[in-house]
Amino acid sequence: MCSACMEFQPRFDVLELTCKRQNDMVSHAYCRTCLTGLFGTSLTDTTLFPPRCCGVRIPLSAGAHFFTPELMRRYKEKEEELDTPNPTYCSNRSCARFIPPGDIQATIATCCVCNEKTCAGCKSKEHRGVCPEDDTVKQLIGIAEEKRWQRCYRCRTMVELDIGCFHMSCRCGAQFCYKCAAPWKSCACPQWHEERLVRNSR
């Protein structure tokens, strides 16, 4: 008898488990329909994943002969998703599909469904330059703030001015003010500081 629907089913159509409550005469069992429903529901309600009975996980392999290939595939994908630390999801909101680690090269994750590229660091759409959510970058930004370094407004590359005027020409082609990082000649900052120019002339 199925422990879920309480109906009698042919033995070949029932998965018999080893668990049972203290007062139960027989171990628990699930018919094909109830077991498939349990596994299917767990894919949309993660509080039920992985499926359990009496707190004991029901292995996917135990009911594999009841499941369709599609359900097996989706289960394995969900298992990988929930087992992945800091998972990455497609930044395309109409997709939002989990991107497995195997589809992440360096820090760029490529969705196999819509081909959208997502930054695995900040989880937003692929962007140029370093990612502000990278731990190493965070440490560098902290040092940069202490030393008053500046970042390119376009590609976010870090620069340090030792000598010369405040006119910065980045490798990405952007030109900006070292004092405030605004595009060059769009701010009211002075174009140089005398001390830096004096050092340059010595």
Side-chain angles (χ1 to χ4, degrees), residues 38-53 55-57 75 78 81-82:
L38 177 62
F39 272 74
T41 302
S42 73
L43 300 179
T44 55
D45 184 352
T46 55
T47 62
L48 300 177
F49 193 96
R52 298 177 177 86
C53 183
V56 179
R57 179 173 182 168
Y75 183 93
K78 179 61 67 174
E81 175 186 349
L82 297 180

Side-chain angles (χ1 to χ4, degrees), residues 152-154 167-170 172-177 181-185:
C152 172
Y153 69 88
R154 179 185 293 173
H167 181 195
M168 296 288 102
S169 295
C170 184
C172 73
Q175 299 186 49
F176 60 95
C177 171
W184 184 240
K185 291 188 177 180

Side-chain angles (χ1 to χ4, degrees), residues 9-23:
Q9 302 288 348
R11 191 162 187 171
F12 64 81
D13 220 24
V14 172
L15 174 66
E16 296 182 1
L17 304 176
T18 57
C19 61
K20 64 178 180 179
R21 296 187 182 90
Q22 185 175 0
N23 297 325

Side-chain angles (χ1 to χ4, degrees), residues 129-152 155-160 171:
V130 295
C131 178
E133 293 302 314
D134 184 277
D135 289 338
T136 303
V137 173
K138 287 181 178 180
Q139 294 178 3
L140 178 60
I141 291 176
I143 296 173
E145 290 176 349
E146 292 179 5
K147 296 183 176 295
R148 297 184 179 180
W149 295 344
Q150 194 53 270
R151 301 181 72 182
C152 172
C155 70
R156 309 303 292 164
T157 296
M158 194 78 67
V159 295
E160 177 187 12
R171 60 186 179 184

Side-chain angles (χ1 to χ4, degrees), residues 100-201:
D103 291 335
I104 301 177
Q105 298 295 325
T107 59
I108 302 302
T110 303
C111 179
C112 64
V113 176
C114 68
N115 290 320
E116 182 78 16
K117 294 186 181 299
T118 301
C119 173
C122 62
K123 313 301 182 185
S124 60
K125 188 174 181 179
E126 178 188 18
H127 54 79
R128 299 179 63 180
V130 295
C131 178
E133 293 302 314
D134 184 277
D135 289 338
T136 303
V137 173
K138 287 181 178 180
Q139 294 178 3
L140 178 60
I141 291 176
I143 296 173
E145 290 176 349
E146 292 179 5
K147 296 183 176 295
R148 297 184 179 180
W149 295 344
Q150 194 53 270
R151 301 181 72 182
C152 172
Y153 69 88
R154 179 185 293 173
C155 70
R156 309 303 292 164
T157 296
M158 194 78 67
V159 295
E160 177 187 12
L161 175 63
D162 183 27
I163 52 178
C165 68
F166 294 139
H167 181 195
M168 296 288 102
S169 295
C170 184
R171 60 186 179 184
C172 73
Q175 299 186 49
F176 60 95
C177 171
Y178 186 78
K179 291 283 289 183
C180 67
W184 184 240
K185 291 188 177 180
S186 68
C187 63
C189 297
Q191 295 188 13
W192 63 80
H193 190 285
E194 184 177 353
E195 181 182 349
R196 293 182 185 273
L197 296 179
V198 170
R199 288 179 59 193
N200 192 27
S201 64

